[in-house]
Amino acid sequence: MDSKPPPPPQWVLDLSSPPISKSKLGSIPDPPGYSSTATTKRSAAKQAPRKAPTTEETDTLKLKKSWELALAPAKALPMNAIMMYMSGNTLQIFSIMMVFMLFKNPLQALLQTNQVFVRYETEGTRGKLWMVKGVYVLMNMVALALGVWKVNGMGLLP
């Protein structure tokens, strides 16, 4: 029972070998801006190994990403304000649902603050994440204040 495995299919062989260069016809010139040396430089640059990022670089990147996440509720505020203004102050199903969503999303975000930032928390970023979390909570509180403004405009607050 000493059988050899079947040979690989032709498409595998085609992928593992570089394409055959076509002979260049002398009558067709290269397009403007094309140089054959640029393609060889690009292939040489691909072979250079990339060094692994240091923990300091990783912590800096995680801190930047956490700031993006903390400021995301602030980016949604103008859209929510325009939608609240355009929905009117009358009690209709659309305006009631909009106000419900305006209260629900920030409350959920406030309750899940620690779970949101857990993937960015390391020994190097632990002390710096307090300010990021504070901004995140503040932006969600502003979204809740927008909901209170809308409810007051609808006449539902005493």
Side-chain angles (χ1 to χ4, degrees), residues 126-137:
R126 186 163 290 137
K128 299 174 185 175
L129 277 181
W130 284 105
M131 175 155 301
V132 176
K133 288 180 182 180
V135 169
Y136 182 74
V137 168

Side-chain angles (χ1 to χ4, degrees), residues 19-32:
I20 302 169
S21 61
K22 298 178 182 176
S23 62
K24 185 176 175 183
L25 299 174
S27 62
I28 302 174
D30 287 336

Side-chain angles (χ1 to χ4, degrees), residues 3 6 33 62 86 118 127:
S3 63
K62 285 184 178 184
M86 296 300 280
V118 75

Side-chain angles (χ1 to χ4, degrees), residues 75-103:
K75 293 177 183 177
L77 282 176
M79 179 194 60
N80 285 333
I82 291 171
M83 289 176 62
M84 291 300 117
Y85 175 74
M86 296 300 280
S87 66
N89 289 333
T90 58
L91 290 174
Q92 297 173 358
I93 189 69
F94 181 74
S95 59
I96 292 172
M97 291 303 296
M98 294 298 296
V99 169
F100 173 74
M101 293 303 290
L102 194 60
F103 279 110

